[in-house]
Amino acid sequence: MNIRPAAPDDAQGSTATIPVRIYLLILDGDFGAAMASILLRLSGVAIDIDFRFLGRNEQALL
């Protein structure tokens, strides 16, 4: 039984941050989507770290 109210899917521009989205996915029991969100965030952090160490040289990532 889902006791949490449904997330608003209206056209008013309602958004949720990644930590909030992960929390809601875990509450719903959707662990696969929660892991995908975490891995997406970690990938972004890894690319940011690479840019900092490589002097923002995009060719070094290829």
Side-chain angles (χ1 to χ4, degrees), residues 33-59:
M35 284 301 297
S37 297
I38 292 169
L39 290 174
L40 178 68
R41 183 66 175 156
L42 288 176
S43 297
V45 169
I47 290 172
D48 184 52
I49 290 170
D50 285 344
F51 272 157
R52 290 178 194 270
F53 283 127
L54 299 173
R56 300 202 184 276
N57 180 7
E58 293 180 11
Q59 292 298 322

Side-chain angles (χ1 to χ4, degrees), residues 1-54:
M1 175 184 238
N2 189 356
I3 58 174
R4 183 177 55 84
D9 288 333
D10 54 12
Q12 295 178 353
S14 176
T15 61
T17 62
I18 288 180
V20 171
R21 181 74 178 145
I22 292 169
Y23 176 75
L24 293 176
L25 288 169
I26 290 173
L27 279 181
D28 288 340
D30 195 357
F31 298 107
M35 284 301 297
S37 297
I38 292 169
L39 290 174
L40 178 68
R41 183 66 175 156
L42 288 176
S43 297
V45 169
I47 290 172
D48 184 52
I49 290 170
D50 285 344
F51 272 157
R52 290 178 194 270
F53 283 127
L54 299 173

